């Protein structure tokens, strides 16, 4: 199937590692020009160069914080200055810290709101006028399978991502007439630094080992394994591509069948 991404422009936020990097790599494999952001410039540049070398596609690293309005504006300005359009935007950021309800005070909640909800509001608000003017585009938000199946010990993520789900469903109806599709992609367990960190913390709490935690996550899926970030990238890029032209306001759960929620 042709995803119709050749020479299109994709902006992938928080893309130096993990799911964002897996997504950027697949966009590049499909012939898109990929603008990538993350805070640590050296890691971002190294990932962008590696993807470019592996795929022959053009990557453009622009360092910045995916939650800060000025940095998001700078990222989109850089994409527009170089390419004049943004066909696909993938909104992503590092997830909030793990922990149970009593562990977080107001300041911690407000930091999580900034990083896990307002980042999406800000990025969408800046992208929509660009996409409206150019006649359409896609916005895909990386969230979590926890919107269907809350995960113990992730109270901040479980709470705030449902707000993003409401935002996306509503926004898809508002901007559909402008040719803009808005979707959620919701990962279960993929082997990234974040999952290793969360699993290490869980192992410490339970007095087990990292390998035991990872094995438990793998066993929770009927496929018996944790996902690979590039598998995530393939689903995310499909959703963001013109090949998914009639999909909007949707939440694609990609968790290897772990969740039993319908
Ligand atoms: P990861 O492996 O820790 O990678 C995070 C990436 O995002 C890095 O490139 C990091 O680079 C960048 N980043 C983090 N905060 C940023 C910020 N404020 N501004 C710009 N870039 C930022 O994480 P991941 O596993 O790919 O997770 C990505 C998202 O998916 C998170 O929201 C996570 O909660 C969610 N999720 C992941 C899984 C999973 O299985 N992996 C499951 C459910 C949900 P810098 O640190 O240099 O900025």
């Amino acid at each position: 199937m042709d995803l119709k991404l050749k020479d299109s422009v994709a902006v992938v936020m928080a893309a130096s590692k993990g799911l964002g990097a897996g997504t950027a790599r697949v966009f590049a494999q499909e012939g898109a020009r990929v603008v990538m952001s993350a805070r640590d410039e050296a890691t971002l540049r190294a990932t962008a160069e590696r993807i470019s070398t592996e795929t022959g596609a053009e990557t453009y690293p622009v360092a910045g914080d995916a939650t800060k309005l000025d940095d998001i504006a700078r990222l989109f300005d850089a994409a527009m200055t170089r390419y004049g359009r943004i066909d696909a935007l993938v909104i992503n950021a590092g997830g909030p810290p793990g922990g149970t309800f009593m562990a977080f005070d107001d300041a911690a909640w407000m930091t999580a709101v900034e990083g896990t909800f307002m980042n999406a509001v800000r990025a969408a608000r800046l992208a929509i006028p660009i996409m409206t003017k150019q006649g359409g585009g896609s916005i895909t938000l990386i969230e979590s399978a926890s919107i269907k199946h809350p995960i113990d010990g992730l109270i901040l993520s479980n709470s705030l991502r449902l707000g993003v789900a409401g935002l996306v469903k509503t926004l898809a109806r508002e901007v559909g007439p402008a040719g803009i599709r808005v979707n959620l992609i919701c990962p279960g367990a993929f082997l990234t630094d974040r999952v290793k960190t969360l699993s290490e913390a869980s192992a410490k709490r339970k007095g087990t080992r990292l390998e035991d935690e990872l094995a438990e996550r793998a066993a929770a899926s009927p496929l018996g394994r944790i996902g690979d970030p590039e598998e995530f990238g393939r689903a995310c890029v499909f959703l963001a591509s013109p090949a998914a032209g009639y999909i909007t306001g949707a939440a694609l759960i990609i968790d290897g069948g772990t969740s039993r929620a319908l």
Side-chain angles (χ1 to χ4, degrees), residues 169-192:
K169 201 70 180 168
T170 313
L171 196 53
R173 296 193 60 79
E174 289 188 15
V175 300
I180 303 170
R181 297 182 303 107
V182 193
N183 291 297
L184 290 172
I185 184 156
C186 303
F190 286 82
L191 197 55
T192 65

Side-chain angles (χ1 to χ4, degrees), residues 125-146:
R125 194 197 287 129
L126 290 174
I128 285 167
I130 294 171
M131 291 183 176
T132 302
K133 200 164 165 202
Q134 72 194 17
S138 72
I139 301 176
T140 310
L141 295 92
I142 300 181
E143 295 301 327
S144 169
S146 67

Side-chain angles (χ1 to χ4, degrees), residues 14 16-19 38-40 64-67 92-95 142-144 161 187-190 192-195:
S16 66
K17 294 189 206 165
L19 304 182
R39 292 165 302 180
D40 183 78
D65 190 322
T67 70
N92 182 32
I142 300 181
E143 295 301 327
S144 169
R161 293 192 192 283
F190 286 82
T192 65
D193 285 1
R194 175 170 169 84
V195 162

Side-chain angles (χ1 to χ4, degrees), residues 3-15 20-37 44 48 51 57-62 75-80 82-92 127 130-131 134 136-140 181 233 236-242:
L3 299 185
K4 298 194 165 41
L5 285 167
K6 184 106 188 69
D7 297 329
S8 66
V9 179
V11 175
V12 186
M13 305 175 79
T23 301
R25 176 171 289 106
V26 178
F27 269 120
Q29 288 166 354
E30 292 297 321
R33 295 166 287 177
V34 193
V35 185
M36 304 163 56
S37 81
L44 176 67
I51 290 175
E58 195 174 325
T59 55
Y60 180 20
V62 181
L75 172 67
F76 294 178
D77 283 351
M80 291 303 286
R82 185 171 288 201
Y83 301 119
R85 56 187 300 113
I86 299 174
D87 297 295
L89 168 66
V90 176
I91 298 177
N92 182 32
I130 294 171
M131 291 183 176
Q134 72 194 17
S138 72
I139 301 176
T140 310
R181 297 182 303 107
C236 188
V237 168
F238 164 72
L239 202 53
S241 76

